[in-house]
Amino acid sequence: MIETPPLVDQYCQGVLRTELGLATFEAQLIPSAGPPAAGTTFFDTQTGFAVRRWCPPLLGLEPHCAPVRYLARRRELGAAESARRLLRGCGVGARLVDTGLPGDLTGPKELALAGGAEAFELVRPELLAEQAADTSGTVAAFLANLAGAVHHAAAGAVAFTCGAGEAGRAWTAALEAAPEPPGPGEVRGAAGRWLAARAKGGAVRDPVLLRHLAWSAVSSGLPLQLHTGAESGAPERLTGFVRATEGLGARLVLIGGYPQHRQAARLAAAFPHVHADLGAALGPTGARAAAVLAECLETAPFGKLMFSGGGRQLPELHAVGALVFRESLGRVLGGWVADGSWSWRDAERVAAMVAAGNARRVYRLDERG
């Protein structure tokens, strides 16, 4: 068995504090715009099967037990105790937590207490813009307040992270269309238009403002996480922005690139300041996770790859992301050792790098005590 240190989960979200019924629980298992097919549930997915494989033993049940039995045990223990057992049972030593999600979710401090692990904050720059807009009466005041908010966030967070899904598509489109930083006049014009429309509500989607936020994050000295993949856009669409930021001291991390994970690995191989995510695809791919992980390891130098579980809403997704990653990493590297391609010493050294060491270096976690 390949030994690894406690994992560093470089991207996750908080977990729901509330008790969940069967339908509500199922709705959180996978991103979906609608209900499951007639006669099925979202447990009939690779994610659902992975939850049933890995999570019941952490709550004192047999693997693969029926969903109804599992959720009954979850209710018996209560949401807080279930989360504590799931978060502590998956071998994670540190979590980087996206604090920009709506809903009744645990923050970094609460997640650290429940999970018995360190927790650090990831900040969404678009939310800083929204907060600055709500306290600014003019364009000049907005831009000044935004600059101050970015500076303040950089002092406390470990990285900036751009939104995923619809927000991720907007970021990708903006940086693909014009990867260079916008000029001051462009920024003032975009800010004026957005502030005028802000009275009606709405997130930041103006491409000029998104570019301004991305370059503000790059200039802060913190790493910038860019979400890619099926929900947010192919990694190769960010090639222009990657080139534009080369040599500036920026660190870019491509999160969640599946099913274009090979593209993300190629960018990490080609550019010294780019790193790629190894783990977020593994929970959703379930029984095929080892094959996906092997593909991620094909191209990029091993010092450029890092784990994230991509856990969101449900503590089960945190647990599955970590446990599937550990098993898949052991299976892939152990197989290479068994066929003589690698030594055990090298396999354990690389496992330690991608499980924790690379993230601790890139995000400078050990400097934060």
Side-chain angles (χ1 to χ4, degrees), residues 127-147:
L127 294 187
L128 297 181
E130 293 171 22
Q131 292 162 7
D134 292 339
T135 58
S136 305
T138 66
V139 169
F142 165 69
L143 294 176
N145 289 340
L146 176 58

Side-chain angles (χ1 to χ4, degrees), residues 160-176:
F160 288 101
T161 189
C162 300
E166 179 186 349
R169 290 191 293 274
W171 281 99
T172 299
L175 296 175
E176 179 185 33

Side-chain angles (χ1 to χ4, degrees), residues 22 58 79 81 95 108 125 135 149 194 208 213 261 264 267-268 315 361:
L22 178 61
L58 298 179
E81 176 62 15
R95 294 181 172 91
T135 58
W194 183 63
V208 173
L213 291 170
H261 45 288
L267 283 175
R361 183 187 72 251

